[in-house]
Amino acid sequence: MNLLVALFKSSLGKKYVMALSGAVLVLFVIAHLLGNLQMFLGPEAINKYAAFLKASPEVLWGARSGLLLMVGLHLFSAALLLRENSDARQAEYEKKDLVAASFASRTMIASGIILFSFVVFHLLHYTALQIDPSFAEMHDAQGRHDVYRMVVSGFSHWWVSGFYILSMGLLCLHLSHGASAMFQSLGLKNERNRCFIDGAAKTLGLVLFIGYSSIPLAVLLKVVK
Amino acid sequence: MNITLRVWRQKSRHETGHFEEYEAHDLNPNMSFLEMLDVVNEQLTKAGKQPIAFDHDCREGICGMCSCVINGEPHGPENKVATCQTYLRSFKDGDTITVEPFRAAGFPLVKDLVVDRSAFDRIMQAGGFISVNTGNAPDANAIPVGKEIADQAMDAAQCIGCGACVAACKNASAMLFVAAKVSHLNLLPQGQPEKSKRALAMVNQMDEEGFGACTVTGSCEAVCPKGISLSFISKLNRDYLGAMLFR
């Protein structure tokens, strides 16, 4: 208990929480992308995969609550840090040079908030099936939920695909900084590996952007139909 | 050369400040920025006005006393130099230069360009030392220190505590300063007995002084007159985590 209080009391403790919850979420987006890319293998592959994920409610809800907890911790410590950081400079400079601070590092809060609103929409859209109730009626020949048809139907609306691709751009931006900053926050960076970690984070962001965006683009271009 | 200065003037912490413009004529390009302020102050004094208050001491880049945000950058446009070693040749004839104090809640303003940086002293008092029994100086080389470690400790020890890192950081975070001071001692064998205590105490004092947290933008490293590396912040994060979990 003392450790928990100390964690949220100190500025470094909150950064550890940011880094660790962020790390779990990064691993999730990588795994989620690998699953999603099965869209290119056709209906059988993705529908089977979706049925497999939902086979055990205990595992499914265990994973879901774990992820929700990570999102909660990430947002909670971000909010605490934001308040402390804005208190730390009450008077702004009239003239400010950005010196070395990258666009991504300066906009983590903004990209994070937009990404969170995307996640809410995305869950309502494809998980809770609230945006388009006809998704719930889609079943394939084996009686499984027809995820393939649902994704194609969802992404054929240009605004859904547009918001999705935009959000993936922001995910790329957020991770190009966040995925490297978490190593710094956990004390894993040093003079020897910092260039590699910075480069790897940017590459990861770009790979995730290309991977995720390829699905709505393929639907819009009728490559996947 | 001629320069127009826009300088922040504020009588005290409790009064509102504003910019005032001054024309400085016939300046030698090889004057330091502080010498230029001296010239302007002489003119102001002769005209019966209040001279600009600014901090300075050694004027050779080692004491950490000079400050100022010059055209939006702490210590001015040159890399790895303090304001006292920023020369007018870094500017163009006819330039307008904006000069502001370091702005951070942890550095309350005293007057004009002078801010109170005693928060750094209190952070040092919290753990920036090693406890030794007094007596004769120990024999040289009685405690062996590896070359690599010695070099790293010396790199960290270069910090002059000027506070430019706080001034540049978007969160007014003092992490680079604290990281340099903690690392300097935590790297060396003499610092080991109090390693965890030091990391905890100095970070907690930093938080109490109202500095922000590190977002790893790298601005601090870029403006540091001594080129203290961001990697020391990573080391501080590591030392603090270890201290938190295992002490």
Side-chain angles (χ1 to χ4, degrees):
Chain A
M1 203 59 210
N2 279 346
L3 190 66
L4 211 61
V5 173
L7 207 57
F8 281 101
K9 224 181 123 205
S10 105
S11 58
L12 266 61
K14 277 166 276 197
K15 295 300 290 191
Y16 298 146
V17 175
M18 286 299 282
L20 287 171
S21 56
V24 175
L25 295 172
V26 168
L27 292 176
F28 167 74
V29 277
I30 296 171
H32 188 41
L33 173 66
L34 292 175
N36 286 4
L37 286 176
Q38 295 178 68
M39 276 299 289
F40 290 105
L41 299 177
E44 175 55 27
I46 190 92
N47 290 354
K48 189 175 157 196
Y49 172 67
F52 161 74
L53 286 185
K54 288 189 176 171
S56 154
E58 291 84 359
V59 176
L60 178 71
W61 280 101
R64 281 178 176 174
S65 14
L67 286 170
L68 274 177
L69 178 71
M70 290 304 136
V71 172
L73 286 172
H74 205 68
L75 288 177
F76 181 60
S77 18
L80 291 178
L81 285 165
L82 176 66
R83 198 186 57 188
E84 281 163 30
N85 291 347
S86 43
D87 284 351
R89 171 156 303 124
Q90 282 128 359
E92 265 309 318
Y93 290 104
E94 196 202 57
K95 194 166 178 184
K96 184 81 173 82
D97 199 315
L98 298 170
V99 266
S102 68
F103 180 72
S105 72
R106 287 179 282 115
T107 52
M108 290 302 275
I109 296 287
S111 58
I113 290 173
I114 303 174
L115 268 175
F116 178 69
S117 65
F118 164 77
V119 170
V120 172
F121 171 79
H122 189 62
L123 287 176
L124 286 174
H125 191 209
Y126 284 144
T127 307
L129 312 178
Q130 295 299 312
I131 308 284
D132 187 344
S134 73
F135 287 173
E137 314 302 322
M138 293 177 177
H139 296 288
D140 65 3
Q142 282 94 335
R144 293 176 304 209
H145 185 209
D146 196 347
V147 173
Y148 185 85
R149 204 141 61 87
M150 172 180 86
V151 170
V152 171
S153 149
F155 281 145
S156 32
H157 300 287
W158 67 267
W159 62 270
V160 172
S161 290
F163 184 39
Y164 189 92
I165 294 172
L166 177 84
S167 303
M168 290 308 104
L170 289 173
L171 177 72
C172 165
L173 193 72
H174 200 78
L175 293 189
S176 72
H177 178 72
S180 121
M182 68 190 182
F183 285 92
Q184 173 86 356
S185 296
L186 293 173
L188 299 171
K189 255 186 176 182
N190 59 36
E191 218 46 48
R192 243 165 298 150
N193 64 22
R194 65 184 277 189
C195 279
F196 172 77
I197 292 176
D198 289 347
K202 290 193 179 85
T203 313
L204 174 73
L206 202 63
V207 168
L208 288 172
F209 172 68
I210 295 171
Y212 275 115
S213 307
S214 69
I215 300 167
L217 269 181
V219 171
L220 285 179
L221 297 172
K222 309 249 190 265
V223 180
V224 167
K225 54 190 169 190
Chain B
M1 63 193 284
N2 301 317
I3 270 171
T4 307
L5 276 182
R6 290 184 67 238
V7 183
W8 183 261
R9 302 303 305 266
Q10 187 171 344
K11 279 191 182 148
S12 75
R13 193 173 305 170
H14 308 292
E15 287 176 58
T16 48
H18 61 279
F19 280 99
E20 261 177 44
E21 263 191 32
Y22 305 104
E23 300 290 335
H25 300 291
D26 302 323
L27 301 164
N28 185 328
N30 296 321
M31 274 179 176
S32 78
F33 197 83
L34 298 183
E35 283 165 342
M36 181 270 291
L37 287 178
D38 290 338
V39 170
V40 172
N41 273 350
E42 256 176 52
Q43 289 172 10
L44 288 173
T45 312
K46 274 182 193 159
K49 292 179 187 160
Q50 273 280 319
I52 304 160
F54 64 91
D55 266 329
H56 61 101
D57 192 10
C58 75
R59 299 205 177 199
E60 53 186 17
I62 53 162
C63 77
M65 196 61 199
C66 58
S67 59
C68 298
V69 172
I70 302 165
N71 278 343
E73 214 176 318
H75 293 308
E78 299 296 327
N79 284 336
K80 294 190 187 174
V81 287
T83 298
C84 60
Q85 292 190 310
T86 297
Y87 297 93
L88 293 191
R89 53 179 179 264
S90 300
F91 303 91
K92 286 198 291 289
D93 190 21
D95 269 2
T96 299
I97 305 174
T98 305
V99 193
E100 293 178 74
F102 283 0
R103 294 192 192 277
F107 290 163
L109 192 128
V110 177
K111 188 182 181 185
D112 296 340
L113 303 173
V114 178
V115 295
D116 178 0
R117 285 170 282 180
S118 53
F120 273 13
D121 298 335
R122 290 187 292 275
I123 294 173
M124 291 303 281
Q125 284 160 8
F129 51 80
I130 55 166
S131 307
V132 288
N133 292 324
T134 52
N136 289 338
D139 283 345
N141 300 324
I143 305 170
V145 182
K147 167 82 172 130
E148 239 184 55
I149 294 292
D151 283 351
Q152 277 182 40
M154 285 306 283
D155 285 347
Q158 280 201 79
C159 170
I160 52 175
C162 65
C165 43
V166 174
C169 175
K170 78 180 186 69
N171 304 335
S173 167
M175 279 293 277
L176 194 66
F177 165 76
V178 178
K181 294 303 178 193
V182 169
S183 300
H184 162 208
L185 298 173
N186 278 10
L187 279 162
L188 293 170
Q190 291 89 338
Q192 294 311 306
E194 290 158 306
K195 185 179 170 186
S196 297
K197 200 171 136 193
R198 176 177 302 115
L200 289 172
M202 290 178 81
V203 168
N204 293 347
Q205 188 64 37
M206 170 187 87
D207 286 346
E208 256 173 55
E209 298 290 346
F211 295 107
C214 175
T215 304
V216 206
T217 65
S219 292
C220 53
E221 176 188 57
V223 300
C224 177
K226 296 297 154 188
I228 304 288
S229 164
L230 219 48
S231 299
F232 287 119
I233 295 185
S234 179
K235 177 173 164 46
L236 173 60
N237 285 329
R238 192 159 64 237
D239 287 358
Y240 189 84
L241 184 63
M244 217 175 166
L245 293 176
F246 305 116
R247 189 172 164 254

